[in-house]
Amino acid sequence: MSTGQKPTLRIVVLISGSGSNLQSLIDACINNKIKAQITAVISNKPNVKGVERATAANIPALIIDHRDFSSRQEFDLHLLEAIKSFEPDLVVLAGFMRILTPDFVNQFEGKLLNIHPSLLPAYQGLDTHQRAIAAGDSKAGATVHFVTPELDGGPPILQAEVAIMPADSTQDLAERVLKMEHEIYPTVVQWFCDGRLTAENGKAFLDGAIIGSNGILFDINNER
Ligand code: GRF
């Protein structure tokens, strides 16, 4: 007999490091902003702070060290099996520093999110803040996007901008951007869990309306 209650959505989060974005998601679940449960955290690196954060929140944390596998394919296959065992509705990459094979990515079409520390499509790949400063840009930021086989190339969903100050070091800028990441990632995961965010044919949609190629610009005073 149905209780009439919707089943709780299940999220698996993949990390490689500090896990501050993971923490923002854990906090948003605790505060009921995100109506879902993080059922597992998987790290490809041992001894990282993100694993401690998961354990402190009573979330099962698994280490699947990529160095234990002889190829990217083999690692991805193992990772895929581990993720599937948790039957997630959504998989969230939160500072997960491994390139995933197309075979892996294609298993999670429309159910795989990433956060990238640049205003995509600018500065795909690594060293984004350093490159933005070196180019003399006046602004930087972060983008949450659906993941497709093209690295950092999936459809953007939500973007936050910050100013680059003349005296900024890479570290200064990274900290300013990270603060915004902690705003936009829980927001996007909330949209997904509320059934408002979808992906189809390489495009992202919010409330059925197509999202433009730079994503929605985040406005802290006007949350949707
Ligand atoms: C973030 O800047 C994220 O955009 C990038 O890696 C960093 C991860 O930080 N992909 P954390 O592990 O969430 O603290």
Side-chain angles (χ1 to χ4, degrees):
M1 195 176 74
S2 160
T3 59
Q5 269 191 331
K6 277 196 204 161
T8 308
L9 292 191
R10 300 163 63 85
I11 302 174
V12 169
V13 183
L14 307 192
I15 60 164
S16 302
S18 150
S20 67
N21 278 292
L22 165 67
Q23 189 67 57
S24 73
L25 298 171
I26 292 173
D27 294 345
C29 288
I30 291 171
N31 299 335
N32 211 29
K33 175 177 172 180
I34 296 173
K35 288 164 205 69
Q37 191 191 1
I38 301 175
T39 44
V41 169
I42 302 177
S43 173
N44 68 311
K45 289 200 175 162
N47 308 318
V48 292
K49 177 119 191 253
V51 169
E52 284 173 33
R53 294 180 195 269
T55 308
N58 290 318
I59 300 168
L62 269 68
I63 315 288
I64 303 179
D65 192 331
H66 60 276
R67 293 169 302 189
D68 293 341
F69 299 86
S70 58
S71 68
R72 197 175 286 283
Q73 281 74 10
E74 210 194 306
F75 169 72
D76 277 12
L77 216 57
H78 197 83
L79 183 63
L80 183 65
E81 274 173 28
I83 294 172
K84 287 202 161 170
S85 73
F86 293 101
E87 301 179 350
D89 300 288
L90 177 67
V91 179
V92 174
L93 308 181
F96 183 68
M97 302 302 286
R98 292 288 301 168
I99 294 174
L100 294 162
T101 54
D103 282 348
F104 177 99
V105 172
N106 289 333
Q107 295 280 325
F108 297 106
E109 211 183 332
K111 289 168 53 166
L112 184 58
L113 296 174
N114 183 41
I115 190 157
H116 183 74
S118 79
L119 299 170
L120 287 173
Y123 306 122
Q124 297 170 332
L126 296 174
D127 303 323
T128 54
H129 303 311
Q130 197 181 314
R131 288 153 68 201
I133 290 173
D137 293 355
S138 58
K139 60 186 186 185
T143 307
V144 180
H145 64 97
F146 279 112
V147 177
T148 61
E150 190 198 338
L151 181 67
D152 301 326
I157 300 161
L158 186 59
Q159 242 177 20
E161 290 182 357
V162 304
I164 301 180
M165 307 298 184
D168 269 349
S169 65
T170 306
Q171 176 77 12
D172 294 331
L173 184 56
E175 279 170 20
R176 196 173 308 129
V177 171
L178 199 56
K179 258 194 202 155
M180 296 311 292
E181 293 185 31
H182 302 156
E183 299 290 333
I184 63 175
Y185 220 173
T187 299
V188 170
V189 173
Q190 177 192 5
W191 289 346
F192 184 93
C193 294
D194 289 345
R196 300 175 59 194
L197 178 67
T198 52
E200 216 178 291
N201 298 327
K203 305 270 182 226
F205 296 82
L206 183 66
D207 299 328
I210 194 161
I211 298 175
S213 55
N214 288 73
I216 295 163
L217 185 61
F218 179 68
D219 177 354
I220 203 157
N221 299 313
N222 181 22
E223 275 199 48
R224 298 189 186 218

